Amino acid sequence: MGNIIKMKWKMIEVLTNPNKFFETRIKGEESLMIPVLIVLINGIISGGTVAFLIVSVSRQILPPEVHPEVHSLALKFGINSFIFMTFFAFVAWLVVAAVFFGISWIYEGKGGFMRTLEFVGYGFIPSILGGLISAVLVYNFVSTMHIPQIIDPMMAEATIRQIEQIAKQSPIMRLSSIVGILFTLWSGIIWVFGLKHARNLSTKNALITVAIPVMVYILYSIYQMGVFK
């Protein structure tokens, strides 16, 4: 019980005072145990949300009596998507850490990659919170979405395009995207202090290291929302 309370307090400190947290953590031994747990939870939430969206939409647009076999395929696709998104969370963790490590090399960063990987992992805590909020928004979107059911298989492609347009224009889904951007910025703040201590950088150089890939991701997210179209 005491260890759980201690871990919760550490997670709160990562969110509220990352500089102090990493300043203390850098003195300890390298450990990926907690970062792995953080990334795993993040992947499960993302995967669960995507799987729910796939299965729920298929049930709305495909009458069970007309396409019974399709629902089975949709369920399998949802499960596969869940597994993929959970796995992808770890890939994203490695890629983000590698990009930060590479950019910080320009500023003569001195820490090892394992420490960078560890500290970057802590920066995904806001993604867990953002993922939970997005999951609620996606549930509301699916619950209020009204699309004609597909009777003719030839209508499938047109219906899928219709769903994509509805999702892009939906205030709820746009809010979900905005939530993702805001929590990514929160992660960025944590990563700045994480890189500062993991790679022995100045705050300025750590900020530049993190800002470049984070801003690229945010601009891409805004583009996906259709703002630039």
Side-chain angles (χ1 to χ4, degrees):
M1 186 65 179
N3 290 334
I4 294 176
I5 294 175
K6 187 177 181 181
M7 187 172 74
K8 287 182 178 179
W9 172 250
K10 285 183 178 180
M11 297 306 98
I12 293 174
E13 189 175 38
V14 173
L15 296 173
T16 59
N17 194 350
N19 188 45
K20 181 180 178 181
F21 172 81
F22 290 119
E23 186 177 27
T24 303
R25 185 72 196 93
I26 194 69
K27 299 174 184 177
E29 295 183 2
E30 294 178 357
S31 175
L32 296 179
M33 184 178 67
I34 295 178
V36 164
L37 183 60
I38 292 169
V39 174
L40 177 62
I41 294 172
N42 184 41
I44 289 173
I45 293 172
S46 299
T49 301
V50 171
F52 168 78
L53 181 61
I54 291 171
V55 175
S56 298
V57 169
S58 68
R59 287 180 176 176
Q60 279 199 37
I61 66 177
L62 298 169
E65 64 277 9
V66 179
H67 305 285
E69 73 289 346
V70 177
H71 287 278
S72 177
L73 290 174
L75 179 59
K76 290 180 180 179
F77 185 56
I79 294 173
N80 289 337
S81 297
F82 171 79
I83 295 172
F84 172 79
M85 291 300 294
T86 302
F87 173 76
F88 181 76
F90 287 94
V91 175
W93 176 26
L94 288 170
V95 170
V96 170
V99 169
F100 288 159
F101 190 85
I103 297 176
S104 63
W105 177 79
I106 299 174
Y107 299 105
E108 300 181 350
K110 298 178 181 178
F113 180 73
M114 288 301 291
R115 182 65 88 177
T116 300
L117 187 64
E118 176 190 354
F119 283 14
V120 168
Y122 283 105
F124 283 101
I125 295 177
S127 295
I128 294 176
L129 302 176
L132 291 172
I133 295 174
S134 293
V136 173
L137 293 173
V138 168
Y139 174 80
N140 288 332
F141 168 71
V142 173
S143 300
T144 57
M145 183 178 61
H146 299 288
I147 299 177
Q149 292 185 329
I150 299 176
I151 304 300
D152 183 358
M154 299 297 292
M155 296 170 53
E157 185 176 351
T159 302
I160 292 173
R161 289 180 179 176
Q162 183 182 359
I163 294 173
E164 291 176 348
Q165 289 301 316
I166 291 174
K168 286 183 178 181
Q169 297 173 5
S170 168
I172 294 178
M173 295 304 288
R174 286 197 172 187
L175 179 58
S176 178
S177 297
I178 292 171
V179 167
I181 290 172
L182 293 176
F183 279 87
T184 297
L185 287 172
W186 194 355
S187 290
I189 294 172
I190 295 173
W191 286 330
V192 167
F193 293 105
L195 266 292
K196 173 183 176 181
H197 294 285
R199 295 286 282 155
N200 193 24
L201 301 172
S202 67
T203 303
K204 176 183 176 181
N205 288 343
L207 177 61
I208 296 172
T209 298
V210 172
I212 294 172
V214 167
M215 289 309 300
V216 169
Y217 172 79
I218 289 175
L219 288 174
Y220 175 75
S221 297
I222 295 174
Y223 172 79
Q224 288 293 97
M225 291 169 61
V227 175
F228 298 143
K229 296 179 180 180

